[in-house]
Amino acid sequence: FCRSQGSGFYVVEGDHKSTWSSGATAFTEDTLRINNMPVMESWEKPYMRRLADEVSCCGGKLLEVGWGLALSGSRVQEHKHTVTEHHVIEANATVFQQLKEFAAKENAKSDGTPKVIPHFGLWRDVLKNIEK
């Protein structure tokens, strides 16, 4: 993992599958870093919210891969009575704990808020066990 010739872009080298789940995780209100790699930052919020609106417009069951800073996930939850289930796959244990806490709060609501269903693991592994 390194900056690409001072360009501001990051190059991720190698397979991080074995370390992603338990990797060093740094959370702030504005940044998520895992194994010292930038995963998500707050400046992405307008884009992530727009993506959430686009995928939520048709309603039904929705699958989100990666929880991050909950930028898109929290927006999906605003689509009451359209999205019925919001499945989220998260591979990092620390981030997954944040997701479970979010899910508990959201699932306690009875106002048409989509049900949040957290799944732990890498998407390639978890996807096999999710009902279609």
Side-chain angles (χ1 to χ4, degrees):
F1 173 76
C2 61
R3 274 198 191 269
S4 177
Q5 301 177 7
S7 67
F9 294 99
Y10 285 92
V11 176
V12 179
E13 297 175 349
D15 181 4
H16 300 273
K17 182 177 180 179
S18 63
T19 61
W20 196 259
S21 173
S22 59
T25 306
F27 253 118
T28 70
E29 186 176 315
D30 295 317
T31 305
L32 169 61
R33 296 178 73 84
I34 299 174
N35 293 332
N36 202 32
M37 290 185 278
V39 175
M40 184 170 274
E41 296 180 349
S42 62
W43 63 265
E44 299 172 81
K45 187 173 185 174
Y47 175 69
M48 298 303 286
R49 289 176 64 84
R50 178 63 194 255
L51 288 175
D53 289 343
E54 289 295 322
V55 299
S56 299
C57 69
C58 295
K61 296 178 182 180
L62 188 137
L63 173 63
E64 182 172 3
V65 178
W67 186 242
L69 294 173
L71 301 180
S72 58
S74 58
R75 180 65 167 191
V76 167
Q77 292 305 111
E78 295 176 24
H79 290 268
K80 299 175 180 172
H81 306 292
T82 55
V83 175
T84 55
E85 291 181 4
H86 181 191
H87 293 259
V88 184
I89 301 172
E90 176 55 52
N92 177 271
T94 303
V95 177
F96 186 70
Q97 183 59 40
Q98 298 284 326
L99 168 58
K100 287 194 316 185
E101 292 170 11
F102 180 87
K105 290 178 190 171
E106 292 296 296
N107 293 343
K109 295 178 180 178
S110 59
D111 61 355
T113 299
K115 180 180 179 184
V116 179
I117 304 166
H119 303 274
F120 182 71
L122 296 168
W123 71 267
R124 293 176 297 226
D125 301 328
V126 173
L127 200 55
K128 300 172 206 171
N129 300 317
I130 295 179
E131 177 187 334
K132 297 185 189 254

